[in-house]
Amino acid sequence: MKVLVAVKRVIDYNVKVRVKPDNTGVDLANVKMAMNPFCEIAVEEAVRLKEKGVASEIVVVSIGPKAAQEQIRTALALGADRGIHVETDEEVQSLEAAKLLKSVVEKEEPKLVILGKQSIDSDNNQTGQMLAALTGMAQGTFASEVVVDGEKVNVTREVDGGLMTVSLNLPAVVTTDLRLNEPRYASLPNIMKAKKKPLESVSPADLGVDVAPRLSTLKVEAPAARQAGVKVADVAELVDKLKNEAKVI
Amino acid sequence: MSILVIAEHDNSSLKQATLNVVAAAKAIGGDIDVLVAGENCGAVAEAAAKAEGVNKVLVADNAAYGHFLGENLGELVAEVGKGYSHILAAAGTTGKDFMPRVAALLDVAQVSDIIRVESEDTFVRPIYAGNAIATVKASDSIKVITVRPTGFDPVAAEGGSAAVEQLDVVKDAGISAFVSEQKAESDRPDLASAGVVISGGRGMQNGDNFKMLEQVADLLGAAVGASRAAVDAGFVPNDMQVGQTGKIVAPQLYVAVGISGAIQHLAGMSDSKVIVAINKDEEAPIFQVADYGLVADLFEAVPQLEEELKKVL
Ligand SMILES: Cc1cc2nc3c(=O)[nH]c(=O)nc-3n(C[C@H](O)[C@H](O)[C@H](O)COP(=O)(O)OP(=O)(O)OC[C@H]3O[C@@H](n4cnc5c(N)ncnc54)[C@H](O)[C@@H]3O)c2cc1C
């Protein structure tokens, strides 16, 4: 079966995020960018499905500026077979991303679409679910285990009260959580090979989607900084301070 | 304006988060209806009817909603919610699952995880793991919003007397089914709403050592949480993870034990009133946010903490 994986280019998770002095956003100039960590987990899961003989082809898609091709190449180096780049310099919000992906899904007809549960920039946690709704597919969100079984897929989900397993008709959408797998690193030969794998570029207009944002960001501020407090000498002093100074016990 | 709040519950009791969401709805202003969708969830509807500020409770009681499957809830809420100006749910794993489906079905954007209401169309939400706080304005006619419960003080659970109305809308997409669940059983308070939280990290070394934290937690009436590293290592289950991609907590007292204080962890607990850190590395970043820091080996400090607390409590 064909598996479609969506990946997003975001700020590297190790980078210290700085708000721009004019409060219009976060400073991304000369900042290290990378594949969103949850998307790495999505790629890894698809590659494992292929290694198990469950997936026959892995198509990776990314929406974003020219530079997002780096993340597609990374996914190709990790084992995806071909890439689709939906190229745009505009800000693409979740609903519009889901519409673009829907259009790709209609063309590619994958049996399974795997996405990260959230991107670590906008922290929205929406796109996979929106794509599932727009295409009428079932969804297994926050997945920690994915088992394809004939025309169904069983997904174990990390939920507030523990774990929950659902059975979904295929085609379905899965969004990944942290415990689904541990992504591998791309080997040098595979990075070289990835350069030759097919990568097609399309525009939102080609896909017939209007990406004009519905949400406008009025301002972006730094959070109120917490002041570091005091160091206590021992446990007795700690308990005394909690009881008599902070009055929280 | 008319606001539909989707109740969070387990078919038998109303979760406190719902009261926080009603508080967010009050901040927006307008009539507030609560939708209780579940199976044999009459007691939840009764509880919701008593919450302060609720105008009407709508009940969709059907097996299709028993396990809160996103496919079915999405269709139901989109259908019931289309007559409202705002649809709100708590940003827990249930709300995060079905609300984007609602938004997509209504062809509107969703505003995730709001912590403040500026006006009927303008909301404040953390982005980049809480390293930036965005004020966003929604232009769609229906605003679909998930609410971070720690951002709003809950309305009173008692005192209201809303009318309860049964709905007979059954939306069963028929494409997904519940198989099983593994619920974390605990007599301790719920992590997300506990007044005191004590969390352990990689420094705990194994799951057995979490018993030390549990003993302290029992003295304080606290919930026990964990860092991602402790969950990934299998010390404790996933539902204990605090952080950007786990649970968001804001208790009166948060005690971090053997946790370094990575930004992703801080994103889940830095709104706590008082933070205590116990770590043997005095350079650990957690000390930059801790009100009280103790540089010590946790294997000595935690048993001592238990003894000292016994003396004063
Ligand atoms: C996409 C993404 C999402 C993430 N989401 C989350 C999240 O939601 N929540 C989260 O917590 N993390 C999250 N992380 C992981 C985060 O970056 C850190 O890796 C993690 O928080 C580290 O956990 P830790 O502090 O327990 O471990 P470490 O960083 O290894 O720290 C262990 C600490 O224990 C101390 N210690 C060791 N032994 C002792 C002892 N005997 N006595 C006292 N102190 C001791 C050490 O000095 C050290 O400071 C995420 C990461 C990514 C990439």
Side-chain angles (χ1 to χ4, degrees), chain A residues 26-75:
Chain A
V26 159
D27 195 354
L28 294 178
N30 303 316
V31 162
K32 184 171 177 221
M33 303 293 279
M35 191 189 297
N36 179 44
F38 289 100
C39 304
E40 287 181 346
I41 297 173
V43 173
E44 176 67 32
E45 195 63 16
V47 173
R48 291 188 189 188
L49 287 172
K50 195 171 176 200
E51 286 168 346
K52 280 190 216 145
V54 176
S56 50
E57 187 188 18
I58 303 169
V59 180
V60 58
V61 51
S62 189
I63 302 163
K66 187 106 201 152
Q69 291 193 3
E70 287 169 26
Q71 280 62 48
I72 297 180
R73 291 285 173 208
T74 303

Side-chain angles (χ1 to χ4, degrees), chain B residues 172-227:
Chain B
D172 188 349
I175 50 178
S176 58
F178 169 81
V179 176
S180 62
E181 67 192 338
Q182 243 177 286
K183 274 197 182 160
E185 299 295 345
S186 163
D187 300 334
R188 292 190 191 85
D190 178 35
L191 181 55
S193 54
V196 180
V197 173
I198 176 161
S199 291
R202 198 195 311 269
M204 297 302 297
Q205 287 178 7
N206 59 46
D208 275 349
N209 289 334
F210 267 76
K211 290 209 181 78
M212 297 193 305
L213 301 188
E214 288 166 7
Q215 281 160 4
V216 174
D218 290 342
L219 289 172
L220 294 169
V224 180
S227 71

Side-chain angles (χ1 to χ4, degrees), chain A residues 13-14 36-38 41 120 178, chain B residues 200-205 226-230 232 241-247 257-268 278-282 284-286 294 296-300:
Chain A
Y13 79 95
N14 284 311
N36 179 44
F38 289 100
I41 297 173
I120 59 163
L178 296 169
Chain B
R202 198 195 311 269
M204 297 302 297
Q205 287 178 7
S227 71
R228 173 191 174 181
D232 282 4
Q241 180 180 315
V242 171
Q244 178 189 16
T245 58
K247 287 195 177 133
V257 181
I259 292 178
S260 62
I263 186 70
Q264 293 86 2
H265 188 79
L266 302 186
I278 301 178
N279 196 304
K280 68 178 180 190
D281 172 13
E282 64 175 319
I286 189 77
L294 177 63
D297 188 319
L298 70 91
F299 294 100
E300 285 164 24

